[in-house]
Coordinates of all heavy atoms in Angstrom, one line a residue:
M809 N 0.8 -1.2 0.0 CA 0.0 0.0 0.0 C 0.9 1.2 0.0 O 1.9 1.3 0.7 CB -0.9 0.0 1.2 CG -1.8 1.2 1.3 SD -2.7 1.3 2.9 CE -3.1 -0.3 3.3
V810 N 0.5 2.2 -0.8 CA 1.2 3.5 -0.9 C 0.2 4.6 -0.7 O -0.8 4.6 -1.3 CB 1.9 3.6 -2.3 CG1 2.6 5.0 -2.3 CG2 2.9 2.5 -2.5
I811 N 0.5 5.5 0.3 CA -0.3 6.6 0.6 C 0.4 7.9 0.1 O 1.5 8.2 0.5 CB -0.6 6.8 2.1 CG1 -1.3 5.5 2.5 CG2 -1.5 8.0 2.3 CD1 -1.4 5.4 4.1
T812 N -0.3 8.6 -0.8 CA 0.2 9.8 -1.4 C -0.7 11.0 -1.2 O -1.8 11.0 -1.7 CB 0.5 9.7 -2.9 OG1 1.3 8.5 -3.1 CG2 1.2 10.9 -3.5
P813 N -0.3 12.0 -0.4 CA -1.2 13.2 -0.2 C -1.1 14.0 -1.5 O 0.0 14.5 -1.9 CB -0.6 14.0 1.0 CG 0.5 13.1 1.5 CD 0.8 12.1 0.5
L814 N -2.2 14.2 -2.2 CA -2.2 14.9 -3.5 C -2.2 16.4 -3.2 O -2.9 16.8 -2.3 CB -3.3 14.5 -4.4 CG -3.4 13.0 -4.7 CD1 -4.6 12.7 -5.6 CD2 -2.1 12.5 -5.4
K815 N -1.5 17.2 -4.0 CA -1.5 18.6 -3.8 C -3.0 19.2 -3.9 O -3.7 18.9 -4.9 CB -0.6 19.3 -4.9 CG -0.5 20.8 -4.7 CD 0.4 21.4 -5.7 CE 0.6 22.9 -5.6 NZ -0.4 23.7 -5.1
D816 N -3.4 19.9 -2.9 CA -4.7 20.5 -2.8 C -5.8 19.5 -3.0 O -6.9 19.8 -3.6 CB -4.9 21.6 -3.8 CG -3.8 22.7 -3.6 OD1 -3.4 22.9 -2.5 OD2 -3.5 23.4 -4.6
G817 N -5.6 18.2 -2.6 CA -6.6 17.2 -2.8 C -6.5 16.1 -1.7 O -5.9 16.3 -0.7
P818 N -7.1 15.0 -2.0 CA -7.2 13.9 -1.1 C -5.9 13.1 -0.9 O -4.9 13.3 -1.6 CB -8.3 13.0 -1.7 CG -8.1 13.2 -3.2 CD -7.7 14.7 -3.3
N819 N -5.9 12.2 0.0 CA -4.9 11.2 0.2 C -5.2 10.0 -0.8 O -6.3 9.4 -0.7 CB -4.8 10.7 1.6 CG -4.2 11.6 2.5 OD1 -3.3 12.3 2.2 ND2 -4.8 11.7 3.7
Q820 N -4.3 9.8 -1.7 CA -4.4 8.6 -2.6 C -3.8 7.4 -1.9 O -2.7 7.5 -1.5 CB -3.7 8.9 -3.9 CG -3.8 7.8 -4.9 CD -2.9 8.0 -6.1 OE1 -1.6 8.1 -5.9 NE2 -3.4 8.1 -7.3
V821 N -4.6 6.4 -1.8 CA -4.2 5.1 -1.2 C -4.2 4.1 -2.3 O -5.3 3.7 -2.8 CB -5.0 4.7 0.0 CG1 -4.5 3.5 0.7 CG2 -5.2 5.9 1.0
A822 N -3.1 3.5 -2.7 CA -3.0 2.6 -3.8 C -2.3 1.3 -3.3 O -1.5 1.3 -2.4 CB -2.2 3.2 -4.9
G823 N -2.7 0.2 -4.0 CA -2.1 -1.0 -3.7 C -3.0 -2.1 -3.2 O -2.6 -3.1 -2.6
G824 N -4.3 -1.9 -3.3 CA -5.3 -2.8 -2.8 C -5.8 -2.3 -1.4 O -5.0 -2.4 -0.4
V825 N -7.0 -1.8 -1.4 CA -7.5 -1.1 -0.1 C -8.9 -1.6 0.2 O -9.8 -1.7 -0.7 CB -7.5 0.4 -0.3 CG1 -7.9 1.1 0.9 CG2 -6.1 0.9 -0.7
V826 N -9.2 -1.8 1.4 CA -10.6 -2.0 1.9 C -10.8 -0.9 2.9 O -10.1 -0.7 3.9 CB -10.8 -3.3 2.6 CG1 -12.2 -3.5 3.1 CG2 -10.5 -4.5 1.6
V827 N -11.9 -0.1 2.7 CA -12.3 1.0 3.6 C -13.5 0.5 4.3 O -14.5 0.1 3.7 CB -12.6 2.3 2.8 CG1 -13.0 3.4 3.8 CG2 -11.4 2.8 2.0
Q828 N -13.4 0.5 5.7 CA -14.5 0.1 6.5 C -15.1 1.2 7.4 O -14.3 2.1 7.7 CB -14.1 -1.1 7.4 CG -13.6 -2.3 6.7 CD -13.2 -3.4 7.6 OE1 -12.7 -3.2 8.7 NE2 -13.3 -4.7 7.2
D829 N -16.3 1.0 7.8 CA -16.9 2.0 8.8 C -16.5 1.4 10.2 O -15.9 0.3 10.3 CB -18.4 2.2 8.6 CG -19.2 0.9 9.0 OD1 -18.7 0.0 9.6 OD2 -20.4 0.9 8.6
P830 N -16.8 2.2 11.2 CA -16.4 1.7 12.6 C -16.9 0.4 13.0 O -16.4 -0.3 13.9 CB -16.9 2.8 13.5 CG -17.0 4.0 12.6 CD -17.4 3.5 11.3
D831 N -18.0 -0.1 12.3 CA -18.6 -1.4 12.7 C -18.0 -2.5 11.8 O -18.5 -3.7 11.9 CB -20.1 -1.3 12.5 CG -20.8 -0.4 13.5 OD1 -20.3 -0.3 14.6 OD2 -21.7 0.3 13.1
G832 N -17.1 -2.2 10.9 CA -16.5 -3.2 10.1 C -17.2 -3.5 8.8 O -16.8 -4.4 8.1
N833 N -18.2 -2.7 8.5 CA -18.9 -2.8 7.2 C -18.1 -2.2 6.1 O -17.5 -1.1 6.3 CB -20.3 -2.1 7.2 CG -21.2 -2.6 8.3 OD1 -21.4 -3.8 8.4 ND2 -21.6 -1.8 9.2
V834 N -17.9 -2.9 5.0 CA -17.1 -2.4 3.9 C -17.8 -1.3 3.2 O -18.9 -1.4 2.7 CB -16.8 -3.6 2.9 CG1 -16.0 -3.0 1.7 CG2 -16.0 -4.6 3.6
I835 N -17.1 -0.1 3.1 CA -17.6 1.0 2.4 C -17.1 1.0 0.9 O -17.9 1.3 0.0 CB -17.1 2.3 3.0 CG1 -17.6 2.5 4.5 CG2 -17.4 3.6 2.2 CD1 -17.0 3.6 5.3
K836 N -15.9 0.6 0.8 CA -15.3 0.5 -0.6 C -14.1 -0.4 -0.6 O -13.3 -0.4 0.3 CB -14.9 1.9 -1.1 CG -14.4 1.9 -2.5 CD -14.4 3.3 -3.1 CE -14.1 3.2 -4.6 NZ -14.5 4.4 -5.3
E837 N -14.0 -1.2 -1.7 CA -12.9 -2.1 -1.9 C -12.4 -1.8 -3.3 O -13.1 -1.9 -4.2 CB -13.3 -3.5 -1.7 CG -12.2 -4.5 -1.7 CD -12.6 -5.9 -1.2 OE1 -13.8 -6.1 -0.9 OE2 -11.7 -6.8 -1.2
A838 N -11.1 -1.4 -3.4 CA -10.6 -1.1 -4.7 C -9.1 -1.1 -4.7 O -8.4 -1.2 -3.7 CB -11.0 0.3 -5.1
S839 N -8.5 -1.1 -5.9 CA -7.0 -1.1 -6.0 C -6.5 0.3 -5.6 O -5.4 0.4 -5.0 CB -6.6 -1.4 -7.4 OG -7.1 -0.5 -8.3
T840 N -7.3 1.3 -5.8 CA -6.9 2.7 -5.4 C -8.2 3.4 -4.9 O -9.2 3.4 -5.5 CB -6.3 3.5 -6.6 OG1 -5.2 2.8 -7.1 CG2 -5.9 4.9 -6.2
V841 N -8.0 4.1 -3.7 CA -9.1 4.9 -3.2 C -8.5 6.3 -2.9 O -7.3 6.5 -2.7 CB -9.8 4.3 -2.0 CG1 -10.4 3.0 -2.2 CG2 -8.8 4.2 -0.8
Y842 N -9.5 7.3 -2.7 CA -9.1 8.6 -2.4 C -9.8 9.1 -1.1 O -11.0 9.1 -1.1 CB -9.4 9.6 -3.6 CG -8.6 9.2 -4.8 CD1 -9.1 8.3 -5.7 CD2 -7.4 9.8 -5.1 CE1 -8.4 7.9 -6.9 CE2 -6.7 9.4 -6.2 CZ -7.2 8.5 -7.1 OH -6.4 8.1 -8.2
L843 N -9.0 9.3 -0.1 CA -9.6 9.7 1.2 C -9.6 11.2 1.4 O -8.5 11.8 1.3 CB -8.8 9.0 2.3 CG -8.8 7.4 2.3 CD1 -8.0 6.8 3.4 CD2 -10.3 6.9 2.3
C844 N -10.7 11.7 1.8 CA -10.8 13.1 2.0 C -9.9 13.6 3.2 O -9.8 12.9 4.2 CB -12.3 13.5 2.4 SG -12.5 15.2 2.8
R845 N -9.3 14.7 3.0 CA -8.5 15.3 4.1 C -8.8 16.8 4.2 O -8.2 17.5 5.0 CB -7.0 15.1 3.9 CG -6.4 15.7 2.7 CD -4.9 15.3 2.7 NE -4.3 15.8 1.5 CZ -3.1 16.6 1.5 NH1 -2.5 16.8 2.6 NH2 -2.7 17.0 0.4
C846 N -9.8 17.3 3.4 CA -10.2 18.7 3.5 C -11.3 18.9 4.5 O -11.5 20.0 5.0 CB -10.6 19.2 2.2 SG -12.2 18.7 1.6
G847 N -12.1 17.9 4.8 CA -13.2 18.0 5.7 C -14.6 18.4 5.1 O -15.6 18.5 5.8
F848 N -14.6 18.6 3.8 CA -15.8 19.1 3.1 C -16.6 18.0 2.5 O -17.8 18.2 2.1 CB -15.5 20.1 2.0 CG -15.0 21.4 2.6 CD1 -13.7 21.8 2.4 CD2 -15.8 22.3 3.3 CE1 -13.2 23.0 2.9 CE2 -15.4 23.5 3.8 CZ -14.1 23.9 3.6
S849 N -16.1 16.8 2.3 CA -16.7 15.7 1.6 C -18.1 15.3 2.3 O -18.2 15.2 3.5 CB -15.8 14.5 1.6 OG -16.5 13.4 0.9
Q850 N -19.1 15.1 1.4 CA -20.4 14.6 1.9 C -20.4 13.1 1.8 O -21.4 12.5 2.2 CB -21.5 15.2 1.0 CG -21.6 16.7 1.1 CD -21.9 17.2 2.5 OE1 -22.9 16.8 3.1 NE2 -21.0 18.1 3.0
D851 N -19.3 12.5 1.4 CA -19.2 11.1 1.3 C -18.0 10.6 2.1 O -17.4 9.6 1.7 CB -19.0 10.7 -0.2 CG -19.2 9.2 -0.5 OD1 -20.0 8.6 0.3 OD2 -18.7 8.7 -1.5
A852 N -17.7 11.2 3.2 CA -16.5 10.9 4.0 C -16.7 9.4 4.5 O -17.8 9.0 4.7 CB -16.4 11.8 5.2
P853 N -15.5 8.7 4.5 CA -14.2 9.2 4.5 C -13.6 9.3 3.0 O -12.5 9.6 2.8 CB -13.4 8.1 5.2 CG -14.2 6.9 4.9 CD -15.6 7.3 4.9
L854 N -14.5 9.1 2.0 CA -14.0 9.2 0.7 C -14.1 10.6 0.2 O -15.0 11.4 0.5 CB -14.9 8.2 -0.2 CG -14.9 6.8 0.2 CD1 -15.9 6.0 -0.7 CD2 -13.5 6.1 0.2
C855 N -13.2 10.9 -0.7 CA -13.3 12.3 -1.4 C -14.4 12.3 -2.4 O -14.6 11.3 -3.2 CB -11.9 12.5 -2.1 SG -11.9 13.9 -3.2
D856 N -15.2 13.4 -2.4 CA -16.2 13.5 -3.4 C -16.0 14.7 -4.3 O -16.9 15.1 -5.1 CB -17.6 13.6 -2.8 CG -17.8 14.9 -2.0 OD1 -16.8 15.7 -1.9 OD2 -18.9 15.1 -1.5
G857 N -14.8 15.3 -4.3 CA -14.5 16.4 -5.1 C -14.8 17.8 -4.5 O -14.5 18.8 -5.1
S858 N -15.3 17.8 -3.3 CA -15.7 19.0 -2.6 C -14.5 19.9 -2.4 O -14.7 21.2 -2.3 CB -16.4 18.8 -1.3 OG -17.7 18.2 -1.5
H859 N -13.3 19.4 -2.3 CA -12.1 20.2 -2.0 C -11.9 21.2 -3.2 O -11.5 22.4 -2.9 CB -10.9 19.3 -1.9 CG -10.6 18.5 -3.1 ND1 -11.1 17.2 -3.3 CD2 -9.8 18.7 -4.2 CE1 -10.7 16.7 -4.4 NE2 -9.8 17.6 -5.0
R860 N -12.3 20.8 -4.4 CA -12.2 21.8 -5.5 C -13.2 22.9 -5.4 O -12.9 24.1 -5.6 CB -12.4 21.0 -6.9 CG -11.2 20.2 -7.3 CD -11.4 19.7 -8.7 NE -10.8 18.3 -8.8 CZ -11.5 17.2 -8.7 NH1 -12.8 17.2 -8.6 NH2 -10.9 16.0 -8.8
R861 N -14.5 22.6 -5.1 CA -15.5 23.6 -5.0 C -15.2 24.6 -3.9 O -15.7 25.7 -3.9 CB -16.9 22.9 -4.8 CG -17.4 22.2 -6.0 CD -18.8 21.6 -5.8 NE -18.9 20.6 -4.8 CZ -18.6 19.3 -5.1 NH1 -18.2 19.0 -6.3 NH2 -18.7 18.4 -4.2
N862 N -14.5 24.1 -2.9 CA -14.2 25.0 -1.7 C -12.8 25.6 -1.8 O -12.3 26.2 -0.9 CB -14.3 24.2 -0.4 CG -15.8 23.9 -0.1 OD1 -16.5 24.8 0.4 ND2 -16.2 22.7 -0.4
N863 N -12.1 25.4 -3.0 CA -10.8 25.9 -3.2 C -9.9 25.6 -2.0 O -9.1 26.4 -1.6 CB -10.8 27.5 -3.4 CG -11.5 27.8 -4.6 OD1 -11.3 27.2 -5.7 ND2 -12.4 28.8 -4.6
W864 N -10.0 24.4 -1.5 CA -9.2 24.0 -0.4 C -7.7 23.9 -0.8 O -7.4 23.4 -1.9 CB -9.6 22.6 0.1 CG -8.9 22.1 1.3 CD1 -9.0 22.6 2.6 CD2 -7.9 21.1 1.4 NE1 -8.1 21.9 3.4 CE2 -7.4 21.0 2.7 CE3 -7.3 20.3 0.4 CZ2 -6.5 20.1 3.1 CZ3 -6.3 19.4 0.8 CH2 -5.9 19.3 2.1
S865 N -6.8 24.3 0.1 CA -5.4 24.2 -0.2 C -4.7 23.3 0.8 O -5.0 23.4 2.0 CB -4.8 25.6 -0.1 OG -3.4 25.5 -0.1
S866 N -3.8 22.5 0.4 CA -3.0 21.6 1.2 C -1.7 22.3 1.7 O -0.9 21.6 2.3 CB -2.8 20.3 0.5 OG -2.0 20.5 -0.7
A867 N -1.6 23.5 1.4 CA -0.3 24.2 1.7 C 0.2 24.1 3.1 O 1.4 23.9 3.4 CB -0.4 25.7 1.3
F868 N -0.7 24.0 4.1 CA -0.3 24.0 5.5 C -0.7 22.7 6.2 O -0.8 22.7 7.4 CB -0.8 25.2 6.2 CG -0.4 26.5 5.6 CD1 -1.2 27.3 4.8 CD2 0.9 26.9 5.8 CE1 -0.8 28.5 4.2 CE2 1.4 28.1 5.2 CZ 0.5 28.9 4.4
R869 N -1.0 21.7 5.4 CA -1.5 20.4 6.0 C -0.5 19.3 5.7 O 0.2 19.3 4.8 CB -2.9 20.1 5.6 CG -3.8 21.3 5.9 CD -5.2 20.8 6.0 NE -6.0 22.0 6.3 CZ -7.2 22.0 6.7 NH1 -7.8 20.8 6.9 NH2 -7.9 23.1 7.0
Ligands
FES2327 S1 -10.2 16.0 -0.2 FE1 -11.7 15.8 -1.7 S2 -13.5 16.3 -0.8 FE2 -12.0 16.4 0.8

């Protein structure tokens, strides 16, 4: 697994990933997922593109 914080965007997690909720239910299973780090996603923990609409910057994160 490789985690890459994308400039002004989500954390890209590549290499085979299972994202689960706190109860262990699978939210998404994929070779690559994008996890929100801006806090605006309506589909958290996944990125839904809201970082772009909010002009979020990763400069200080
Ligand atoms: S990083 Fe994309 S919606 Fe938060």
Side-chain angles (χ1 to χ4, degrees):
M809 178 186 325
V810 178
I811 301 172
T812 306
L814 302 180
K815 182 178 185 327
D816 300 334
N819 287 319
Q820 179 189 60
V821 186
V825 182
V826 177
V827 181
Q828 297 180 330
D829 70 14
D831 296 322
N833 301 305
V834 175
I835 297 171
K836 184 163 188 159
E837 186 169 3
S839 58
T840 301
V841 299
Y842 297 88
L843 299 179
C844 176
R845 65 183 176 127
C846 73
F848 291 112
S849 177
Q850 298 300 304
D851 194 26
L854 304 174
C855 170
D856 69 355
S858 293
H859 60 274
R860 286 189 213 98
R861 290 187 291 280
N862 288 282
N863 294 316
W864 182 76
S865 170
S866 59
F868 301 105
R869 303 206 181 189

